[in-house]
Amino acid sequence: CIYAYASDEVLADNNNFFISLFVLMSIISKAEVTLQSTLLSNSEWEIIYPLDDSIVHRWKFSSSEIGVSAIYKGRKSHELKYSYYLSKSDTETFDNSKVGKYSSGCYLYEYNKINKAVSIWKIISFDKSNKILTVSCETQAENKPIAVGRKTVILRLKRL
């Protein structure tokens, strides 16, 4: 058997390395992805995850609205329209005065006029080269959970 002994100095250096690595990973994981409203305005995106073989979901952005459509077997069945804007914070209530104005942020606020529900989508990542946007939503209707026991909704969208 071969036994290796480490001096207290070597162990202290290793501890410092792991503490530094932990701090660096914490900083990286908290980095927020910020989008400009010009990236979304006048663009159309298709949900690529989760994938549904029978329905194609698309988000079409204007400067002030998102048209969310579901296409069943080649025909458009319905489209819902939501007012939206980008924000740097997820702690505010929907502010209609921000709709249609240039903005940037890491949260997309979406307002459904029919059921008066607010969804706050966190921008998780944006892959510029492949034009893939990943968002998650945990809140709806003034920061109340979507449904008890329901997991976070995560969507990946590809720009068309």
Side-chain angles (χ1 to χ4, degrees), residues 43-46 58-59 61 126 131 133 157-159:
S43 67
E44 190 168 359
W45 302 73
E46 188 172 299
R58 292 203 175 134
W59 289 13
F61 289 86
F126 178 63
K131 297 181 179 151
L133 176 65
L157 300 106
K158 180 161 179 65
R159 188 170 180 161

Side-chain angles (χ1 to χ4, degrees), residues 14-145:
N14 283 341
N15 285 341
N16 288 339
F17 170 75
F18 287 114
I19 290 170
S20 298
L21 184 62
F22 175 75
V23 170
L24 180 63
M25 294 304 289
S26 296
I27 291 169
I28 291 171
S29 68
K30 292 184 183 201
E32 295 182 333
V33 177
T34 300
L35 290 183
Q36 309 294 319
S37 58
T38 53
L39 176 76
L40 298 176
S41 186
N42 300 314
S43 67
E44 190 168 359
W45 302 73
E46 188 172 299
I47 294 175
I48 59 172
Y49 174 85
L51 200 53
D52 185 335
D53 292 336
S54 62
I55 305 170
V56 174
H57 294 277
R58 292 203 175 134
W59 289 13
K60 188 172 184 177
F61 289 86
S62 72
S63 61
S64 60
E65 286 187 326
I66 305 172
V68 178
S69 62
I71 303 165
Y72 296 90
K73 297 181 184 174
R75 63 180 177 83
K76 189 181 273 190
S77 63
H78 67 281
E79 182 176 77
L80 301 173
K81 299 234 181 210
Y82 302 93
S83 301
Y84 84 96
Y85 63 90
L86 294 171
S87 176
K88 293 180 169 108
S89 169
D90 68 341
T91 58
E92 59 189 69
T93 56
F94 191 85
D95 183 351
N96 204 45
S97 70
K98 294 182 179 181
V99 173
K101 302 209 167 104
Y102 169 80
S103 62
S104 66
C106 45
Y107 296 95
L108 187 146
Y109 277 73
E110 176 183 88
Y111 180 69
N112 183 331
K113 296 172 190 170
I114 296 169
N115 64 9
K116 299 182 180 2
V118 176
S119 297
I120 305 169
W121 294 90
K122 180 180 172 82
I123 313 292
I124 296 174
S125 67
F126 178 63
D127 179 345
K128 289 180 185 178
S129 59
N130 293 312
K131 297 181 179 151
I132 295 176
L133 176 65
T134 305
V135 296
S136 71
C137 183
E138 293 181 10
T139 57
Q140 187 171 0
E142 299 181 354
N143 297 336
K144 294 179 182 166

